[in-house]
Amino acid sequence: MATIRDVANLARVSVSTVSLVLRQPHRVSPETRERVEKAVEELQYQLNGIARDLRVRKTDTIAILLHNLSGPFYSELIRGVEEAGDALGFTTLAAGCSKNHDQGSLRLLKEGRVDGAIVLDPTISSPVLLRYARKTLPIVVLDRGLSGELQSDFITAVGSDHESGGYLAGQHLLAQGYRRFALIAGPVNSEHSHLREMGFFRALQEGAVDVTTIPVIHSDFTEQGGIRAMNMLLDHEWTAEAVFSANDEMAIGALQVLEERHFAIPKDVAVMGFDDIRLARYVTPPLSTIRQPMYELGVAAMKQLHRAMEGKTRIPGEMLPVKLVPRASTQSRITKAGDESDVS
């Protein structure tokens, strides 16, 4: 039977380094850890009588790394991941971002505390994800595609068709008779907000709208962010007819401001969101939006991650469709006869 010294000799490291890899692998460089793991596997080294193949060491725990744990979008997403994970025998651990990732959510990856991760946090950069993704720690991203710098055998993606959703929103507002617009976008570094904007502008351009005249205010996907953005638009004497918000929370904030400033919705200003969170149907007036399959996204992400954990590599990304949900906040300005309607 092989000894720890045999492993150390084969890996060209000290006995203490082998011990550290066995018990606290996060304290050892990836290169050294890989050499030790190979030696353990080749020699079939056993610790305390129990086989220790480090390449299949499991915690049966999945991390969900989110930008904001409080948003209503995340609750449905987490539920989808948890229920799919439960069916596969995994525990899920949701963690929000912190100012110092090394002291926050990324410690779960850095210290090997989980077997895989689902990441919906644009503040975690692609190079950071590439640094941690490996055979024993695959990652599924939900807020970005797999093109450009995010190329890895151990990273795959799941997402909604954000660009088509933006396009549907633009088509809907045009069909309702609106011609002057403003956009409340998400953070500048949010890929899905950018895609929604692209789709929205494409629809407007097809409708002969000059998109260069449309004001775009970037905010943070929160209700308070929508309030700030809407106040900014109104304080600059904005005179458009419809606002498209890159998510429902910001749209609900915009509705609050318009009501406080005595605008009639949609008679004076129409408002449209994206996501179809539960609250969207209960605000006054009910919010038109694009339904993103939040629960289904969580289920799909967990299934993709499970495939990667079973050894699949270069798994193609999966895109789920979205759906237009028209409600009273964008009621038509056009009567059947083609005249402007007096909508209240």
Side-chain angles (χ1 to χ4, degrees):
M1 180 179 293
T3 68
I4 193 171
R5 187 170 297 281
D6 295 328
V7 174
N9 290 337
L10 183 59
R12 304 187 307 280
V13 297
S14 67
V15 170
S16 61
T17 298
V18 175
S19 179
L20 202 59
V21 170
L22 294 173
R23 301 181 186 282
Q24 295 179 292
H26 61 278
R27 295 181 57 188
V28 184
S29 71
E31 296 80 10
T32 301
R33 186 169 64 237
E34 184 175 2
R35 292 209 312 273
V36 173
E37 289 173 354
K38 285 182 178 179
V40 168
E41 183 174 8
E42 182 176 335
L43 296 172
Q44 297 183 333
Y45 173 66
Q46 296 180 4
L47 178 63
N48 295 332
I50 301 174
R52 297 281 299 196
D53 183 351
L54 297 181
R55 289 191 177 277
V56 295
R57 184 173 54 89
K58 299 293 184 182
T59 66
D60 291 329
T61 302
I62 303 302
I64 314 172
L65 306 185
L66 305 171
H67 183 57
N68 179 358
L69 289 175
S70 64
F73 173 86
Y74 295 111
S75 61
E76 282 295 289
L77 175 72
I78 292 171
R79 186 169 70 88
V81 175
E82 287 180 337
E83 292 187 4
D86 285 345
L88 294 167
F90 295 113
T91 299
T92 53
L93 179 61
C97 72
S98 66
K99 291 182 179 179
N100 186 342
H101 282 306
D102 284 341
Q103 298 301 317
S105 57
L106 284 185
R107 288 185 63 184
L108 296 171
L109 311 187
K110 183 178 181 181
E111 298 180 3
R113 299 185 186 183
V114 294
D115 294 335
I118 295 168
V119 179
L120 179 53
D121 185 349
T123 68
I124 301 176
S125 68
S126 294
V128 168
L129 293 177
L130 289 169
R131 184 189 315 159
Y132 291 112
R134 55 186 182 271
K135 182 178 180 180
T136 54
L137 184 59
I139 293 173
V140 176
V141 292
L142 279 160
D143 57 349
R144 65 198 90 186
L146 297 177
S147 59
E149 61 183 6
L150 199 59
Q151 296 284 335
S152 169
D153 287 346
F154 312 115
I155 298 178
T156 187
V158 172
S160 297
D161 194 344
H162 301 290
E163 186 172 354
S164 290
Y167 184 78
L168 288 173
Q171 281 191 318
H172 171 69
L173 292 172
L174 287 170
Q176 300 302 93
Y178 300 101
R179 301 296 299 177
R180 298 193 307 275
F181 305 92
L183 173 64
I184 299 178
V188 174
N189 64 346
S190 169
E191 181 171 334
H192 51 215
S193 176
H194 176 63
L195 290 171
R196 294 169 192 179
E197 178 180 336
M198 286 176 57
F200 182 62
F201 280 3
R202 178 162 58 89
L204 299 190
Q205 288 173 322
E206 290 178 3
V209 174
D210 181 3
V211 298
T212 64
T213 65
I214 296 175
V216 178
I217 305 295
H218 289 275
S219 194
D220 60 1
F221 283 139
T222 67
E223 190 173 313
Q224 286 299 316
I227 289 172
R228 290 192 298 270
M230 193 71 245
N231 276 319
M232 186 179 301
L233 286 167
L234 295 177
D235 289 345
H236 285 78
E237 300 182 354
W238 166 71
T239 59
E241 302 167 336
V243 178
F244 173 47
S245 169
N247 82 334
D248 288 345
E249 288 185 74
M250 294 191 297
I252 290 169
L255 286 174
Q256 292 179 41
V257 172
L258 291 167
E259 182 180 3
E260 290 168 0
R261 296 207 185 192
H262 307 293
F263 284 83
I265 304 167
K267 182 179 179 180
D268 298 329
V269 183
V271 179
M272 185 160 191
F274 199 111
D275 284 341
D276 195 27
I277 62 175
R278 188 174 298 275
L279 185 58
R281 69 198 71 176
Y282 298 118
V283 295
T284 303
L287 180 67
S288 294
T289 186
I290 302 297
R291 178 174 296 156
Q292 189 174 186
M294 296 171 278
Y295 174 84
E296 291 81 2
L297 281 171
V299 172
M302 185 66 249
K303 289 181 177 178
Q304 287 279 66
L305 186 61
H306 184 237
R307 291 177 64 199
M309 292 166 64
E310 289 188 321
K312 304 288 186 181
T313 59
R314 292 283 176 177
I315 300 172
E318 181 177 355
M319 183 178 292
L320 304 186
V322 297
K323 180 182 178 181
L324 171 68
V325 183
R327 296 192 179 107
S329 69
T330 58
Q331 187 173 334
S332 178
R333 297 171 62 88
I334 304 172
T335 66
K336 291 182 180 179
D339 299 321
E340 282 199 353
S341 60
D342 185 16
V343 183
S344 59

